[in-house]
Amino acid sequence: MSTTVTADIEVDVPVRVAYDQWTQFESFPHFMSGVESVTQVDDTTTHWVVSIAGVKREFDADVSDQVPDDHVAWRSTAAEVQHRGRVDFRPGSDGRTRIDLTIEWEPEGFIEKAGAALQLDDAQVKRDLHRFKEFIEDRNAPTGAWRGEVHGGQETTPGTGGTAGTTTGLGGGTAAPGSVNPPTSEGVAGSDPDLRA
């Protein structure tokens, strides 16, 4: 039985800043608990290494739908790790941004099923969103940007206004364009363009 978590937060930066930072997947370990690393494979594919309750998992996730300054949706590519999600960005008052996040996954094993039953995953997602808020508000600028557009899993507009591949201020590395990996009991997952927060 799948588990769905929804969470939202308002951050004190403009939509473009919040959105651009979310496209920098390799920065996720800085604010997402359980995420050990994210590697950008190409513009729409990322490789995740996560560790939850001592259980290490690796999987790939593809961006299924992305519109700059509006939303990013993703889904896992392997049958054995069932994840999908969507994050939406909405302008708030005084130049702030509301972030709405929905994550759906299939818990595996006793620890993950128990965590889902006790709603521990909900608490983790909310904590990680709060850490994202602190991260981006402290910087007040994204570490990079990828402005490509994706529909049906296919990139329709090349990324502009930044380089999918460079992060700044985080010790270098590549930036993961186009997707989000919200914190879950297993890390990031995939998404459906119709999955809304």
Side-chain angles (χ1 to χ4, degrees), residues 4-20:
T4 301
V5 173
T6 60
D8 63 78
I9 199 165
E10 191 170 83
V11 297
D12 193 14
V13 296
V15 167
R16 182 167 182 146
V17 172
Y19 172 88
D20 284 353

Side-chain angles (χ1 to χ4, degrees), residues 45-110:
T45 305
T46 51
H47 180 76
W48 296 81
V49 178
V50 298
S51 180
I52 307 295
V55 178
K56 191 171 189 173
R57 292 180 184 259
E58 293 191 39
F59 59 91
D60 290 338
D62 284 343
V63 175
S64 57
D65 199 72
Q66 173 176 324
V67 175
D69 302 332
D70 189 80
H71 69 271
V72 177
W74 68 94
R75 64 174 164 252
S76 56
T77 60
E80 61 272 10
V81 179
Q82 299 281 324
H83 281 197
R84 65 181 184 163
R86 180 178 171 117
V87 61
D88 289 279
F89 302 86
R90 299 290 173 254
S93 59
D94 300 324
R96 297 169 67 88
T97 302
R98 177 186 166 100
I99 299 173
D100 292 296
L101 176 64
T102 299
I103 303 168
E104 185 179 327
W105 74 95
E106 192 74 35
E108 296 180 18
F110 175 77

Side-chain angles (χ1 to χ4, degrees), residues 26-45:
E26 291 189 355
S27 71
F28 282 9
H30 292 273
F31 48 83
M32 292 195 173
S33 57
V35 177
E36 291 186 6
S37 68
V38 182
T39 304
Q40 189 69 38
V41 177
D42 59 35
D43 284 349
T44 60
T45 305

